[in-house]
Amino acid sequence: MTSLNDLPLRADLVGKQPYGAPQDFVSITLNVNENTHELPDEIVDDITRQLRDAVKTANRYPDREFTELREKLAEFLGHGLTAENIWAANGSNEVLQQILQAFGGPGRTLLSFTPTYSMYPLLASATGTGWIAVPRPEDFVLTAEYVASKIREANPSIVVLCSPNNPTGTPLDKAVIEAAYDAFDGMLIVDEAYIEFAPEDRTALDLLQSRPRLLISRTMSKAFAFAGVRIGYLAANPVAVDALRLVRLPYHLSVLTQAAGVAALGHNKEMLSTVAEITRQRERIEARLAELGYEVHPTESNFVLFGGVKDPKATFEALRSKGILIRDVGIPNHLRVTAGTESETTAFLNAMAELG
Ligand SMILES: *Cc1c(COP(=O)(O)O)cnc(C)c1O
């Protein structure tokens, strides 16, 4: 039997662990912040029709520039953006990887404020980019002064700010983004994977004008209920978008992905119609967990990080044995749960109450 140690793996990858949120097929899956509502049948039918037309062209390579998808995404985002401002890939993780391929790499660094999205250090490692983790203050809230001083001190090639932050849910003030941008000459990524759950004026899209080093990453995986299709996208200055063309694989978005994305965006209001309901369920979780004596962190996302858990592994396993999967994100005495449908949320809260 050959083990990985017998293969000539890149030295900087030896001993690394792959990304691995458990994929249990339990009945209630509240561990990776998906939108747990299924798509309405009418939308499924319309997407299917458009996919059928796309399959007919499958003997040819797809539009390498996925022009229609970019136009639809620009229209959806508004803020005066056009297709030239838009880029997309198979999930925003791929977008982030392309940014690191273009602007990171050996001898360069990526800085972020931890705890934050666990993929950032993995993407850095995969692209040979150095990883600088700056701890957040105790309440996880970033201030303009703190962020600017840490960035100035480290002078990284790239900074990524997650807004709102995963796994803490913490909102990010626009003043922090402006201060971060002005504190260095590198690329600033704002990861807005959960921005649809935050108040409307939180988005950094209106900061793009006159900030060519600002990259705003979005995804259809969360609020948009489209995680399985794998579409993430970016809004940026057209020049920054050009940089990603240097590193993307040719035809990286399949004809099926492009068609599904265009079709779904044609229903964007309905696709996003569960956001208000999910936010209500999140507020239920916040209120009830506080009642049960847990320390609930302020959140503007579709998930809640809570502390005061004596033994996170035991609580995680107790819930799992009831068919409920949540997330141990490795913060001592904390767990994270995604707001699900009303009945999923009720099942989680009842189980938590029983655990006492
Ligand atoms: C879920 C998530 C993403 C999205 O990943 P996709 O590749 O688009 O599915 C990006 N950033 C953060 C912080 C996330 O939590």
Side-chain angles (χ1 to χ4, degrees), residues 85-87 95-100 102-104 110 157-163 177 181 184 186-192 203-205 207-209 211-218 233-244:
N85 297 105
I86 307 295
W87 186 249
V95 175
L96 296 172
Q97 184 178 55
Q98 291 170 341
I99 296 170
L100 289 180
F103 296 104
L110 169 69
S157 322
I158 308 170
V159 171
V160 58
L161 299 174
C162 192
S163 169
I177 299 170
Y181 189 89
F184 76 137
M187 302 302 288
L188 174 61
I189 307 169
V190 178
D191 183 345
E192 295 193 337
T203 177
L205 286 173
L207 299 181
L208 275 179
Q209 197 67 39
R211 288 187 181 81
R213 294 179 289 108
L214 179 60
L215 308 165
I216 300 174
S217 154
R218 295 268 193 124
Y233 57 103
L234 182 81
N237 187 286
V239 178
V241 169
D242 273 342
L244 305 187

Side-chain angles (χ1 to χ4, degrees), residues 82 131 148 164 169 188 205 239 251 267 287 325 337:
T82 68
W131 166 243
L188 174 61
L205 286 173
V239 178
Y251 316 108
H267 299 278
L325 193 58
V337 63

Side-chain angles (χ1 to χ4, degrees), residues 91-93 117 120 162 166 191 193-194 219 221-222 230:
S92 52
N93 273 285
Y117 188 37
Y120 300 150
C162 192
N166 181 11
D191 183 345
Y194 301 96
T219 182
S221 295
K222 306 288 160 61
R230 313 300 302 126

Side-chain angles (χ1 to χ4, degrees), residues 6-308:
D6 301 324
L7 299 179
L9 185 67
R10 249 168 53 190
D12 59 318
L13 293 180
V14 171
K16 288 254 154 71
Q17 292 298 315
Y19 173 85
Q23 276 199 310
D24 275 12
F25 294 93
V26 296
S27 42
I28 301 178
T29 307
L30 303 175
N31 70 329
V32 286
N33 301 337
E34 296 148 332
N35 182 336
T36 69
H37 296 75
E38 284 177 15
L39 297 180
D41 281 342
E42 316 82 72
I43 297 183
V44 172
D45 290 344
D46 185 47
I47 294 173
T48 309
R49 266 192 302 277
Q50 301 199 41
L51 282 173
R52 187 175 189 284
D53 290 340
V55 172
K56 286 189 203 160
T57 72
N59 59 313
R60 302 286 187 184
Y61 281 114
D63 173 8
R64 197 171 47 220
E65 289 297 316
F66 43 100
T67 313
E68 194 181 358
L69 180 61
R70 283 165 50 228
E71 283 166 1
K72 288 282 187 306
L73 286 166
E75 213 175 287
F76 168 66
L77 288 181
H79 288 83
L81 297 170
T82 68
E84 281 65 48
N85 297 105
I86 307 295
W87 186 249
N90 298 281
S92 52
N93 273 285
E94 189 178 55
V95 175
L96 296 172
Q97 184 178 55
Q98 291 170 341
I99 296 170
L100 289 180
Q101 286 173 319
F103 296 104
R108 296 188 169 205
T109 51
L110 169 69
L111 179 149
S112 195
F113 296 87
T114 55
T116 190
Y117 188 37
S118 62
M119 278 303 299
Y120 300 150
L122 294 180
L123 290 166
S125 140
T127 56
T129 309
W131 166 243
I132 303 173
V134 178
R136 287 174 179 254
E138 191 132 21
D139 62 359
F140 305 130
V141 178
L142 295 177
T143 62
E145 299 70 37
Y146 185 76
V147 162
S149 79
K150 294 297 175 184
I151 293 176
R152 257 187 238 111
E153 209 174 291
N155 194 27
S157 322
I158 308 170
V159 171
V160 58
L161 299 174
C162 192
S163 169
N165 187 49
N166 181 11
T168 62
T170 317
L172 183 69
D173 275 346
K174 245 181 266 190
V176 178
I177 299 170
E178 293 174 286
Y181 189 89
D182 293 337
F184 76 137
D185 292 327
M187 302 302 288
L188 174 61
I189 307 169
V190 178
D191 183 345
E192 295 193 337
Y194 301 96
I195 201 75
E196 294 89 347
F197 297 103
E200 216 165 302
D201 63 349
R202 280 289 189 212
T203 177
L205 286 173
D206 54 353
L207 299 181
L208 275 179
Q209 197 67 39
S210 77
R211 288 187 181 81
R213 294 179 289 108
L214 179 60
L215 308 165
I216 300 174
S217 154
R218 295 268 193 124
T219 182
M220 292 179 79
S221 295
K222 306 288 160 61
F224 226 90
F226 227 39
V229 177
R230 313 300 302 126
I231 298 178
Y233 57 103
L234 182 81
N237 187 286
V239 178
V241 169
D242 273 342
L244 305 187
R245 289 191 172 89
L246 299 172
V247 297
R248 62 93 175 272
L249 296 173
Y251 316 108
H252 68 289
L253 279 182
S254 85
V255 72
L256 298 179
T257 304
Q258 295 185 36
V262 167
L265 284 160
H267 299 278
N268 65 67
K269 290 220 166 54
E270 302 99 296
M271 298 285 286
L272 291 170
S273 65
T274 50
V275 165
E277 165 61 11
I278 293 165
T279 307
R280 257 195 307 282
Q281 298 309 320
R282 182 199 76 206
E283 287 163 359
R284 271 183 77 204
I285 297 173
E286 295 178 74
R288 184 71 180 129
L289 288 182
E291 247 172 53
L292 292 172
Y294 293 100
E295 178 200 351
V296 174
H297 293 279
T299 172
E300 283 188 354
S301 61
N302 66 336
F303 56 84
V304 178
L305 180 76
F306 56 101

